[in-house]
Amino acid sequence: MAIVKDNILMQLVRGTLGKQITIYERNGQIIMAKKRGPSKKKPTQKQLEARHKMTIASMRAQIMLEDPQIKAYYQSLAGPGQNAYNIAVKDAYRSPEVQNIRLEGDEVVVTAQNEFRVAEVEVRVIDTDGVITESGRAFSGRNGIDWHYKITALPAGSKVIVIVKSLPGNPTVKELLLT
């Protein structure tokens, strides 16, 4: 790959020359590169999974960008050579991370992060028989990372299941067993 500078002829040329060289512009720079063709190797299982995940992320991103407010949010995060769609795909490709679940008195505090933002956190309390005794949404704390949910009753031997969702709806599920 070569970056072309101050060449009047190349300022006007774009496309492929003789099935060997491709000339295109990216971020205001003219780039000359060897023409790439389709791979002749059979894709691995990991590559197929990544392609499938990217297809889903792309579809989610397109749906997200139909909302003008979300599109404006993603556009505000875009850097040079990026657009709202690129950022939305990046957000839809990754799931949020649950870093910590802890009990503070009668409150469950969930520390969750996402590269962009966590949209919602749901907390469920399940007793020893597997019955959901309580569930609801947690509320974001002042720091934007901690989410708080007030528990009414916490039976012994139960578990707390936390479902954290990103803006595109990618869930991350984590549980805390209580002794």
Side-chain angles (χ1 to χ4, degrees), residues 20 25 78 89 94 98 172 178:
Q20 293 181 2
E25 187 173 343
V89 168
R94 298 187 178 135
V98 178
T172 299
L178 304 172

Side-chain angles (χ1 to χ4, degrees), residues 33-170:
K34 179 181 175 186
K35 182 172 178 0
R36 295 186 60 198
S39 176
K40 296 182 185 357
K41 294 180 183 177
K42 184 178 177 183
T44 65
Q45 186 63 33
K46 274 185 142 180
Q47 287 173 326
L48 291 173
E49 289 169 5
R51 288 177 188 175
H52 179 68
K53 190 174 176 182
M54 183 59 81
T55 301
I56 292 170
S58 175
M59 288 187 297
R60 282 186 174 169
Q62 289 171 357
I63 292 168
M64 296 291 294
L65 293 178
E66 290 174 1
D67 183 335
Q69 289 179 330
I70 293 175
K71 185 174 184 175
Y73 169 70
Y74 284 132
Q75 189 61 49
S76 71
L77 299 173
Q82 293 180 321
N83 56 33
Y85 174 76
N86 300 137
I87 303 302
V89 168
K90 186 176 182 180
D91 192 17
Y93 193 79
R94 298 187 178 135
S95 295
E97 177 185 348
V98 178
Q99 296 172 326
N100 191 13
I101 304 170
R102 63 189 183 279
L103 291 173
E104 292 180 359
D106 63 344
E107 205 172 56
V108 175
V109 180
V110 179
T111 304
Q113 276 188 306
N114 190 22
E115 188 171 344
F116 299 100
R117 77 177 188 210
V118 173
E120 71 179 68
V121 175
E122 183 185 345
V123 177
R124 295 179 187 161
V125 178
I126 299 177
D127 66 11
T128 53
D129 297 329
V131 177
I132 297 175
T133 59
E134 183 177 345
S135 70
R137 284 189 174 184
F139 296 97
S140 179
R142 290 182 186 212
N143 64 4
I145 297 173
D146 289 337
W147 293 72
H148 302 267
Y149 178 78
K150 195 166 215 83
I151 294 179
T152 56
L154 197 57
S158 60
K159 63 182 171 180
V160 175
I161 295 181
V162 175
I163 303 164
V164 178
K165 290 185 181 176
S166 63
L167 200 56
N170 292 341

